[in-house]
Amino acid sequence: MDDAARQTAEQVARASYGRLLAFLAARTRDVAGAEDALAEAFASALKTWPEHGVPANPDAWLLTVARRRQTDAVRRRQTRTAGEGHIQLMTEELAEAAANPDAIPDRRLALMFACAHPEIEAGMRAPLILQTILGLTAIDIAAAFLIPPATMGQRLVRAKARIKEAGVPFEIPGRESLAERLDAVLGAIYAAYAKGWTEIGDATAERLADEAIWLGRLVVSLLPEEPEAKGMLALMLYAEARREARRDGSGAYVPLEAQDIALWDEPQIVSAEALLRDANAHGPTGRYQIEAAIQSAHVARRISGRANWDAVVALYDVLLRLTQSPVVVLNRAAAVMEVEGPEAALASLDTIATDRRMADYQPYWAARGHLAARAGRKAEAHEALTLAMGLATDEAVRQYLAAQRNKLQDG
């Protein structure tokens, strides 16, 4: 297979998948059918482009093929008397869009809010957005939400069917119902960013992070009065500003406390600070604003050199009351160590040790190993770091953990 053709198909999938899917699904509300049509279009591209060359406008080519598959499928399901008018209208709209792809309306935000509709099971709204907008697999999404892949796959299928069955509209909701659905939209965007942030050195993951930031900016631009949208975008920009500092010259992983702040992206930090100030000034404080404030405190501490761990712990306390999340307990423990010592931090981690989701959650074991080492519990630290290494998907992180484990033997 021609590598250039494959690379082009992959680039188009990353850049246009969500936009094309949202457009194809908007009229029929058949997300699964639109996914099937688009998948067939990509499969056809991988077969056709190496033989005949990559078309001048890949988006238009894919939309034309997907439109044919989609209208054929609709015809098979509807009788002529009941469905011909609908089919004709859909065909004309899709044909016009294929002829002028630059004018394809971007309905991704509308699709995100459709996925966050009250008719969809609350716990499946964010995962559904991740799959439809960014094309993530059920396996990837399951890992992000600590749910078995098979279970996640079944729930995603049911959620897509529910959009069609309930006739969920593809539209941005009015103010009265926006708040409930906005949380799922923001959760999905941030989960996508978190995946792109965690998988260091993976070009695909970095593009995913870029896409999440783009979606965050889109939500802020369309909903400028929503403080939590600004808080989430600020949170992503704080993290993104440190991306280049997370590797040294040899590609080795560098934790936050050892990073060279000269490598931090100052314009992104300035943008994050401005977004956070604006969010805090124009509405109630929510989860993302608090998390962004924690990142702001870390940035200030590293730049000024002055400890502010008490403030960080206090912010985590507020966040924990708000979310009751074991991940917040985990992150808070690192700050507790700086204020009260490693034994207090380990006692905090003990409160979530029986949570089954922590059994194969790599950050939990990495944190436990680090804290146990600081407390002088070498055997416990060795075991936890070994588990963390086994669960790590990033080779640089695995090597960093191995070095930490080796220090136990040297000490």
Side-chain angles (χ1 to χ4, degrees):
M1 178 171 293
D2 186 278
D3 288 341
R6 177 181 289 280
Q7 290 173 4
T8 299
E10 290 175 351
Q11 290 168 0
V12 173
R14 171 59 59 200
S16 303
Y17 179 84
R19 190 165 67 101
L20 294 176
L21 179 66
F23 184 79
L24 288 165
R27 181 168 293 280
T28 64
R29 300 193 182 101
D30 182 1
V31 175
E35 285 178 329
D36 289 344
L38 197 54
E40 289 189 36
F42 275 107
S44 182
L46 291 174
K47 179 180 179 181
T48 304
W49 293 359
E51 298 176 6
H52 301 286
V54 177
N57 196 318
D59 279 10
W61 192 98
L62 289 164
L63 189 58
T64 298
V65 174
R67 181 252 304 176
R68 291 171 185 157
R69 302 290 192 277
Q70 193 180 38
T71 52
D72 287 347
V74 171
R75 282 193 176 96
R76 287 194 295 269
R77 290 194 301 268
Q78 297 183 345
T79 64
R80 282 195 167 276
T81 55
E84 191 61 39
H86 173 82
I87 294 171
Q88 182 62 31
L89 184 62
M90 185 183 76
T91 301
E92 291 173 358
E93 182 183 48
L94 290 171
E96 181 181 354
N100 186 17
D102 292 335
I104 298 174
D106 194 334
R107 292 177 176 167
R108 278 180 288 187
L109 194 58
L111 175 55
M112 283 192 277
F113 277 106
C115 293
H117 194 276
E119 288 287 345
I120 306 301
E121 179 188 346
M124 289 308 300
R125 294 170 191 172
L128 186 57
I129 292 169
L130 286 175
Q131 187 166 76
T132 57
I133 298 298
L134 298 178
L136 296 188
T137 67
I139 293 174
D140 287 335
I141 299 169
F145 288 86
L146 307 180
I147 294 175
T151 302
M152 177 61 74
Q154 293 167 357
R155 292 179 182 176
L156 285 167
V157 169
R158 289 198 298 268
K160 291 171 197 173
R162 188 58 190 157
I163 288 178
K164 185 178 180 182
E165 293 166 1
V168 172
F170 280 48
E171 62 186 17
I172 298 173
R175 173 66 55 181
E176 66 282 354
S177 58
L178 180 64
E180 177 189 5
R181 292 162 68 180
L182 180 62
D183 186 60
V185 170
L186 298 182
I189 294 172
Y190 187 65
Y193 179 79
K195 179 175 174 57
W197 167 256
T198 302
E199 298 182 9
I200 313 171
D202 184 327
T204 300
E206 290 186 21
R207 288 196 298 270
L208 182 59
D210 290 341
E211 183 81 356
I213 290 174
W214 187 92
L215 290 172
R217 293 188 190 280
L218 176 64
V219 173
V220 168
S221 69
L222 293 175
L223 304 171
E225 302 303 317
E226 291 300 322
E228 269 289 79
K230 292 177 181 175
M232 182 202 65
L233 180 56
L235 176 59
M236 294 191 292
L237 292 178
Y238 278 124
E240 196 64 19
R242 302 197 306 270
R243 182 177 289 277
E244 294 303 315
R246 300 176 76 206
R247 286 281 197 268
D248 66 14
S250 65
Y253 171 74
V254 182
L256 174 61
E257 62 273 12
Q259 288 176 8
D260 179 358
I261 63 174
L263 296 176
W264 289 0
D265 188 318
E266 185 176 355
Q268 292 202 82
I269 291 175
V270 170
S271 295
E273 294 278 299
L275 281 162
L276 182 57
R277 284 195 302 270
D278 194 40
N280 292 341
H282 293 92
T285 300
R287 166 199 165 187
Y288 294 108
Q289 290 159 270
I290 297 170
E291 291 197 46
I294 291 170
Q295 293 303 311
S296 179
H298 284 313
V299 167
R301 177 180 56 81
R302 292 287 295 140
I303 292 175
S304 70
R306 293 192 299 271
N308 56 359
W309 287 110
D310 287 331
V312 172
V313 172
L315 286 166
Y316 271 123
D317 288 342
V318 175
L319 186 61
L320 184 57
R321 287 195 295 271
L322 191 65
T323 65
Q324 300 299 312
S325 167
V327 176
V328 174
V329 174
L330 174 61
N331 293 333
R332 178 182 176 275
V336 169
M337 181 185 71
E338 301 294 340
V339 176
E340 302 178 36
E343 291 293 351
L346 284 166
S348 176
L349 280 191
D350 287 342
T351 65
I352 59 172
T354 57
D355 189 320
R356 288 182 296 176
R357 294 172 294 181
M358 297 297 105
D360 56 1
Y361 189 51
Q362 192 271 346
Y364 171 81
W365 294 108
R368 187 153 205 113
H370 176 65
L371 294 174
R374 288 285 295 268
R377 303 185 191 178
K378 290 188 177 182
E380 182 180 343
H382 189 281
E383 180 182 4
L385 290 171
T386 301
L387 285 168
M389 289 170 57
L391 292 168
T393 58
D394 187 311
E395 181 58 31
V397 172
R398 191 178 295 113
Q399 291 178 5
Y400 170 78
L401 293 169
Q404 297 302 108
R405 191 179 65 175
N406 290 339
K407 288 180 182 179
L408 297 171
Q409 299 170 343
D410 298 336

